[in-house]
């Protein structure tokens, strides 16, 4: 489908690390917006953003960035989004689309709705794309190509709101993403399974290995190809971002963790009692799931963008 570009006149990005800077780069490269204003809380990041020329305007406050913006995207860690929105709510333009890229949706949606004035359209979002890098230098315009962006709109049917949701979907399409709409609670449960639990396991396994006194650090590094290496890549993800994800998606993560723990117990029993058939059955099923992931085009090690991974 041909998109009518630019989709928005002015884009404001609040928080410009890996994801915010990738949105800025993608928006610029695609012509999805006419101008870009960026605010980041970190003076060092603001300096980098200005040096890289990611925005037409780099501002010292969030309020200055959102002035006259038709689309505002919050790309701070999840627990900072509410506070960031409160800081600039008074400067938001009537009719503006207010969104975010946070990895958790129910809590962020609640925080955004509480902070934003009536007369703007809050449409939360989450791009399922990322890397374990942080900061404005780590971003790249193609990060969202062929990746999913999940929008979790409010249950509103008025024309102005539906149009706002569609324009945001068009914006992400211009950046190369595939758009899906989902209920926010369902999003949080799905992501607890596909992203949050795997990260928790990686943090845990790398922590356990690091604490094992009988196995030296040098041996952990040397023999890491045996599966451990992939966990270390995931466990290198940003500590602030992931702390916030676990604390704001607590219920869904604990529910999935409970299921996972039971399944792990069953595996442990199968190993103890030599139940090879049970192990073989499970490993065969999981192999099929791996094939499904590759067929769905969501394999992480794509030849052209080997750095991609969803959070
Ligand atoms: P990041 O690289 O660490 O960047 C976040 C930036 O926001 C930092 O420069 C940070 O500054 C700044 N910031 C923090 N609080 C702020 C505030 N109140 N106002 C303005 N700026 C503020 O993080 P990221 O990886 O881009 O993640 C950003 C968001 O995207 C998170 O909500 C995350 O859940 C979501 N997400 C991440 C991925 C991924 O793989 N990384 C994927 C999908 C979605 P300081 O460094 O000074 O704190």
């Amino acid at each position: 489908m041909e998109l009518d570009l630019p989709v928005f006149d002015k884009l404001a990005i609040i928080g410009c690390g890996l994801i915010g800077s990738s949105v800025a780069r993608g928006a610029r490269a695609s012509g999805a917006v006419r101008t870009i204003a960026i605010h980041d809380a970190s003076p060092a990041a603001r300096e980098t953003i200005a040096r890289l020329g990611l925005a037409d305007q780099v501002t010292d406050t969030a309020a200055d960035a959102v002035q006259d913006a038709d689309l505002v995207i919050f790309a701070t860690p999840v627990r900072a989004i509410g506070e960031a929105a409160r800081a600039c709510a008074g400067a938001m333009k009537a009719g503006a689309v207010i969104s975010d890229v946070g990895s958790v949706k129910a809590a962020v949606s609640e925080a955004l709705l509480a902070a934003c004035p009536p007369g703007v359209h809050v449409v939360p979002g989450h791009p399922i794309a990322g890397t374990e890098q942080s900061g404005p230098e780590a971003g790249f315009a193609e990060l969202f190509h062929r990746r999913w962006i999940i929008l979790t709109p409010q249950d509103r049917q008025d024309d102005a709101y539906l149009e706002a949701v569609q324009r945001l979907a068009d914006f992400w399409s211009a950046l190369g993403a595939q758009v899906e709409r989902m209920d926010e609670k369902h999003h949080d449960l799905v992501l607890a399974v596909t992203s949050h639990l795997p990260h928790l396991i990686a943090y845990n396994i790398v922590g356990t290995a690091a604490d094992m006194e009988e196995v030296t650090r040098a041996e952990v590094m040397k023999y890491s190809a045996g599966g451990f290496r992939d966990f270390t890549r995931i466990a290198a993800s940003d500590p602030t971002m992931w702390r916030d994800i676990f604390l704001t998606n607590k219920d869904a993560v604990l529910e999935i963790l409970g299921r996972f723990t039971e399944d792990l117990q069953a595996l442990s029993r199968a190993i103890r009692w030599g139940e090879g058939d049970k192990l073989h059955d499970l490993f065969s099923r999981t192999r099929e799931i791996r094939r499904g992931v590759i067929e769905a085009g969501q394999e992480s090690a794509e030849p052209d963008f080997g750095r991609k991974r969803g959070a």
Side-chain angles (χ1 to χ4, degrees), residues 17-19 21-22 25 128-147 199 230 233-234 236-237 298-311:
L18 167 74
I19 301 295
S21 73
S22 296
R25 288 173 167 100
I128 313 297
T131 75
E132 58 280 7
Q133 310 295 324
S134 308
E137 276 178 302
F140 51 104
E142 305 82 12
L143 178 64
F144 309 110
H145 282 195
R146 300 196 306 276
R147 296 282 144 174
H199 275 79
D230 290 343
R233 184 178 57 78
I234 298 175
S237 300
Q298 300 300 307
E299 151 67 337
S300 63
E302 281 181 70
D304 46 351
F305 312 124
R307 300 178 284 175
K308 284 185 179 172
R309 197 172 44 72

Side-chain angles (χ1 to χ4, degrees), residues 56-78:
D56 301 288
Q57 205 189 354
V58 183
T59 67
D60 288 348
T61 69
D64 284 344
V66 308
Q67 203 88 48
D68 298 323
D70 309 283
L71 171 63
V72 179
I73 296 186
F74 291 95
T76 68
V78 166

Side-chain angles (χ1 to χ4, degrees), residues 8 71 73 97-102 105-106 109 122-128 147-154 161-173 177-188 191:
F8 291 97
L71 171 63
I73 296 186
V97 178
I98 311 296
S99 191
D100 75 296
V101 293
K105 293 277 55 89
S109 177
V122 175
V123 188
H126 175 206
I128 313 297
R147 296 282 144 174
W148 289 105
I149 164 82
I150 300 177
L151 301 182
T152 59
Q154 301 163 57
Y161 187 71
L162 295 179
E163 193 194 313
V165 177
Q166 187 54 52
R167 281 182 80 197
L168 183 61
D170 288 349
F171 170 82
W172 281 105
S173 298
Q178 311 177 75
V179 184
E180 185 83 52
R181 293 164 204 209
M182 207 181 269
D183 168 77
E184 60 195 29
K185 286 217 165 62
H186 189 65
H187 165 279
D188 289 352
L191 268 292

Side-chain angles (χ1 to χ4, degrees), residues 201-211 220 228 231-236:
I201 293 167
Y203 282 123
N204 190 48
I205 204 165
V206 174
T208 303
D211 289 347
V220 169
F228 187 71
F231 284 112
T232 62
R233 184 178 57 78
I234 298 175

Side-chain angles (χ1 to χ4, degrees), residues 204-227:
N204 190 48
I205 204 165
V206 174
T208 303
D211 289 347
M212 280 182 67
E213 277 141 22
E214 313 83 66
V215 179
T216 68
R217 214 182 162 79
E219 283 170 313
V220 169
M221 309 286 177
K222 188 168 168 187
Y223 303 116
S224 68

